[in-house]
Each structure stands twice: as C-alpha cells, then as structure tokens.
C-alpha cells in the first residue's frame, strides 16, 4: 500500500482556477427549491478571511447532468461567501439512521495546509433532533455552529476557524 | 441497505499538521478544538463527478508563453494501486518569471499576457493524465527573511468521493529551495515529501520540443470490505 499523496496549502492564488458561476449549483437547470447559503469566515484573531475557497457538496438531491451537487465560491473582500443551490433532503446514515438535510462544507485557504471540513444543517428542522452527527455534539453552543440560520431570503452559515465560537470541524 | 465502505484514515506522518508554526499563516487559521471523529456516510463516500462538457479541458497552458515548455504526465491511483479513472485534475501556477496572473501577486517580475496559468485535465480509463505548460519560476514570499518558494505547480483532485479530495503541490527534482521550504517540510514523513517531487522522464520528453516530467498522485483508498453478516 502507498499512502495517499500529502496535502499542500491551496495558497493565496487559487483564484486562477476560479469561475464565479461555479457558486451557482442551479446553473444547469436544476429542479427543486432554490436557496442561498451565505456566511463569513473568520480566523482566530477575529479577522475576516478574504482569500478562502469554500466548497459545497451535497449528496441530496442526487447529482445528475442538471445538478452538479458541488460548488466553489471565494470569500470576498468582506470575508463573505455565497452559494445558490437546491435545498437538500435527508440522506441515509449508517445502520438504520437518517441524516437530517445538510451541506458538506470545505474550507481551503492560505495558512490551511490540508482542508477544514464541517457541515451546515438547517436550524429549526425537526429532523435535526435525530441526526447522528449533531447528536455527537453535547455542548449546545458548539452544536449551534453546525446550524445555518434563516436570514431574509437566505440561510446564514458563519464559520470561525479558531477561538471563541470556533466551528465544529470534522475528522473526515 | 448496506453501509458505505469508509475511506482509510491517513497513514501516520503522511499528512501535514494544520498547526505548523514554521508556516506562519497557520497560526490563526488552525482549529484548536479536537476534530469530531465521524464514520463515513454517503455524504463522505460519494462526491462530485465532473463531465468535460460542463468543465472543458485546458490541456495546453503554454501556447504563446515565454519560458521553458514542459510536458507533465502521471497516473492517478488509490492507495491500493487501482487506477482512478475519469477524475478531474485542476492545476494552476506562476509563470516562468515566478509571477501569478493574480491581482494579489505584487512580486516585481514580469507578467506574461499569454500565460493565464490555469489547466484542467481528466484522467483516462487507466488513471493517466497529461498536460503541457511552462516551468514555473521561484518567487519570494513573506514567511521569513529571504524566503522563496520552490518551483511548483498546484494540483486539485476530486477522486471517487468527498473524503478523497486532495489539494497539493508538485515540485521539481534538484530544486535547492526544497530543503529550505517550510510548506514542503510540513509533511513529516520523508518518503511522503519525496513523492511530492516530480521526476524527470526521458520517455515523456518529446524530441526537439519539450522536457517531460512524471508526477503520480495517490488518492485515499477504502477500508477492506467488511464481511457480509
């Protein structure tokens, strides 16, 4: 067995492969309830991060030619990313469990050597109560970092890399 | 329904620690809370599949550009040596003078109007990929006094599932800056570091046209299939 190739940071110049339309997962004509997921990204000093690449992956609805299931967005000068996508439904968990609707969110940036993975669930969804991952997080304040909040027409999901209010990151 | 087969955890020493003080920017950008362990579900074992119709290939970055033209070829496999076919590989890099076509790069080196620095290729049915570019230059950065990044090409690969995602950098053999580069040295294991360095390859080299370099990429494999109960 040969171990997987090592990660190296995405660095500050990853925008060379950025195509802003990739932040819109509905651009190929996806069917379903369109939603916006947006939020800020901050570091351990409380500073906004303006050079991050945020990737979104959702296993629901199942990707096809009209829906890639994946998107990539920059954080802008204000440290804010924004995706347009289709609202996911629940997906199976391990065993006989169900996972509440969620997005898998990945943060790449200068100063992050590998990647940071988290999930965004929908605050107020009754299915959250039985979600196996959310139920691993006992501290209500920590658990809240995994919940996107409705804000106007969008869902707001802020990410804190370190320190007070640090987002729960997953060992994927 | 059977549970999905998880991807393997990282081999010890094979991956950088996000808290790597020698690379200063990690200081405020690494989590301090422990990561939450999680048995993979369909969210982690499936992942995006990219079609060339929606993501058109860019196989020649070099056209009209100044610099030393090179061919980069390699194979994408998993940890068990199985080919990873039809996977999208994105690359990006500085130009021959060590300058990125990016507004954030203020290094006093010339831009090349013909060199954008973005490539996108797909592995074939046996995991092979190839593109043509120019050899990127070294450039200074602000990590410490007189810090220079070795020549490198950035890579992004997706693989068979979300958990197999990889962002890395390909380096060049014989580069004296490798011994001094804190980012390269965040990988603890020497063999894992060496595998980030491409190899000059005369078989890839095209006579009278361009030198060839070989760079293979290994993506995470799956744990052994559990016995059916």
């Amino acid at each position: 067995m040969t171990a997987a190739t090592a990660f190296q940071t995405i660095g500050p110049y990853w925008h060379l492969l950025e195509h802003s339309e990739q932040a819109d997962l509905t651009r190929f004509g996806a069917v379903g309830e369109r939603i916006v997921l947006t939020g800020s990204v901050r570091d351990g000093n409380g500073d906004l991060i303006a050079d991050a690449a945020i990737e979104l992956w959702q296993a629901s609805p199942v990707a096809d030619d009209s829906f890639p299931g994946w998107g990539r967005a920059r954080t802008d000068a204000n440290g804010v990313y924004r995706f347009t996508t289709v609202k996911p439904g629940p997906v199976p968990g391990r065993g006989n469990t169900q996972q509440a609707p969620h997005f898998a969110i990945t943060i790449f940036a200068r100063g992050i050597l590998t990647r940071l993975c988290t999930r965004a669930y929908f605050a107020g969804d009754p299915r959250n109560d039985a979600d196996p991952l959310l139920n691993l997080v006992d501290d209500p304040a920590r658990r809240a970092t995994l919940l996107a909040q409705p804000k106007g027409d969008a869902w707001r999901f802020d990410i804190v890399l370190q320190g007070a209010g640090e987002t729960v990151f997953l060992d994927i | 329904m059977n549970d999905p087969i998880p991807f393997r955890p990282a081999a010890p020493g094979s991956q950088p620690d996000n808290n790597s003080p020698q690379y200063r920017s990690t200081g405020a950008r690494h989590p301090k809370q422990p990561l939450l362990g999680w048995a993979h579900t369909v969210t982690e074992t499936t992942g995006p599949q990219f079609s060339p119709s929606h993501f058109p290939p860019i196989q020649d970055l070099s056209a009209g550009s100044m610099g030393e033209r090179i061919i980069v070829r390699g194979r994408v496999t998993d940890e068990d040596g199985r080919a990873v076919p039809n996977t999208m590989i994105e690359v990006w890099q500085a130009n021959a003078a060590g300058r990125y076509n990016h507004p954030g790069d203020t290094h006093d080196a010339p831009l090349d109007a013909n060199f954008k620095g973005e490539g996108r290729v797909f592995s074939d049915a046996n995991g092979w990929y190839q593109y043509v570019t120019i050899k990127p230059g070294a450039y200074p950065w602000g990590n410490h006094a007189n810090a220079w990044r070795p020549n490198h090409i950035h890579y992004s690969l997706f693989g068979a599932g979300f958990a197999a995602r990889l962002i890395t950098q390909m380096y060049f053999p014989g580069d004296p800056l490798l011994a001094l580069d804190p980012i390269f040295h965040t990988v603890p294991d020497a063999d894992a570091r060496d595998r980030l360095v491409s190899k000059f390859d005369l078989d890839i080299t095209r006579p009278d046209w361009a030198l060839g370099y070989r760079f293979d990429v290994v993506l995470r494999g799956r744990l052994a299939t559990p016995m059916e109960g």
Side-chain angles (χ1 to χ4, degrees):
Chain A
M1 191 196 105
T2 305
T5 302
F7 272 83
Q8 294 276 268
T9 180
I10 200 169
Y13 305 125
W14 68 270
H15 306 88
L16 293 194
L17 53 72
E18 183 192 24
H19 297 270
S20 56
E21 68 271 18
Q22 291 177 354
D24 180 358
L25 286 74
T26 69
R27 67 192 183 282
F28 302 127
V31 175
E33 181 192 346
R34 288 186 183 210
I35 62 166
V36 168
L37 181 75
T38 185
S40 63
V41 183
R42 288 180 187 274
D43 69 14
N45 299 322
D47 293 329
L48 292 158
I49 293 181
D51 59 5
I54 311 298
E55 290 187 349
L56 178 154
W57 160 246
Q58 57 191 96
S60 165
V62 173
D64 61 22
D65 207 43
S66 69
F67 181 66
W70 171 90
R72 180 161 57 210
R74 69 160 68 196
T75 54
D76 64 15
N78 299 312
V80 173
Y81 68 90
R82 179 185 176 93
F83 291 104
T84 302
T85 186
V86 174
K87 193 168 187 187
V91 293
R94 296 188 75 79
N96 292 314
T97 62
Q98 280 281 312
Q99 303 186 80
H102 64 273
F103 298 116
I105 303 290
T106 304
I107 301 100
F108 297 105
R110 173 180 62 87
I112 297 172
L113 280 155
T114 62
R115 60 171 178 171
L116 301 178
C117 296
T118 187
R119 284 188 178 187
Y121 289 84
F122 296 88
D125 190 317
R127 292 167 289 197
N128 290 343
D129 295 339
D131 182 82
L133 189 147
L134 286 174
N135 284 335
L136 290 175
V137 186
D138 294 330
D139 177 350
R142 295 276 290 152
R143 187 176 182 278
T145 70
L146 297 170
L147 301 177
Q149 300 291 336
K151 189 173 183 189
D153 293 336
W155 288 86
R156 178 93 189 182
F157 185 68
D158 292 336
I159 297 166
V160 178
L161 301 190
Q162 185 189 85
E166 183 176 306
T167 297
V168 171
F169 294 104
L170 308 177
D171 183 10
I172 295 297
Chain B
M1 191 175 139
N2 290 333
D3 283 335
I5 301 168
F7 284 86
R8 252 187 224 121
S14 67
Q15 295 293 341
D17 186 339
N18 278 316
N19 179 17
S20 289
Q22 69 271 37
Y23 174 25
R24 275 197 307 147
S25 299
T26 65
R29 292 188 170 195
H30 70 273
K32 293 200 168 171
Q33 297 281 342
L35 302 183
L36 180 63
W38 176 239
H40 291 171
T41 68
V42 66
T43 302
E44 291 81 24
T45 60
T46 63
Q49 303 299 315
F50 297 90
S51 74
S53 60
H54 286 330
F55 296 86
I58 308 168
Q59 290 172 307
D60 184 354
L61 294 72
S62 74
S65 303
M66 292 295 292
E68 180 191 346
R69 186 193 296 124
I70 61 172
I71 301 164
V72 181
R73 179 169 168 78
R75 192 162 181 240
V76 186
T77 60
D78 68 17
E79 291 175 309
D80 298 302
R82 288 184 288 244
V84 179
N86 309 316
T87 198
M88 186 166 80
I89 303 162
E90 300 170 295
V91 296
W92 71 103
Q93 62 169 88
N95 69 19
R99 176 91 182 261
Y100 286 88
N101 177 28
H102 187 288
D105 186 357
T106 56
H107 175 37
D108 179 19
L111 281 167
D112 179 342
N114 292 322
F115 191 75
K116 182 173 183 304
E118 178 198 21
R120 182 192 295 136
V121 293
F122 290 81
S123 62
D124 69 15
N126 295 311
W128 290 94
Y129 74 93
Q130 179 172 308
Y131 60 93
V132 175
T133 186
I134 52 96
K135 190 172 181 181
Y139 56 86
W141 64 307
N143 190 68
H144 56 274
N146 207 8
W148 292 77
R149 288 303 326 278
N151 306 331
H152 63 277
I153 299 176
H154 294 268
Y155 271 64
S156 154
L157 294 98
F158 289 85
F162 175 79
R165 183 92 173 90
L166 176 68
I167 298 270
T168 189
Q169 299 179 26
M170 177 195 111
Y171 299 98
F172 287 86
D175 188 335
L177 294 172
L178 282 172
L180 307 172
D181 183 50
I183 292 180
F184 180 63
H185 283 275
T186 58
V187 181
D189 181 70
D191 174 66
R193 280 199 303 276
D194 287 346
R195 288 192 287 117
L196 295 177
V197 183
S198 60
K199 293 180 172 57
F200 170 68
D201 191 323
L202 195 61
D203 291 331
I204 297 170
T205 298
R206 190 167 140 193
D208 303 320
W209 198 67
L211 296 184
Y213 289 88
R214 170 90 182 251
F215 185 64
D216 294 339
V217 179
V218 180
L219 300 180
R220 284 169 78 181
R222 307 246 183 179
L223 290 169
T225 309
M227 297 292 284
E228 293 296 328

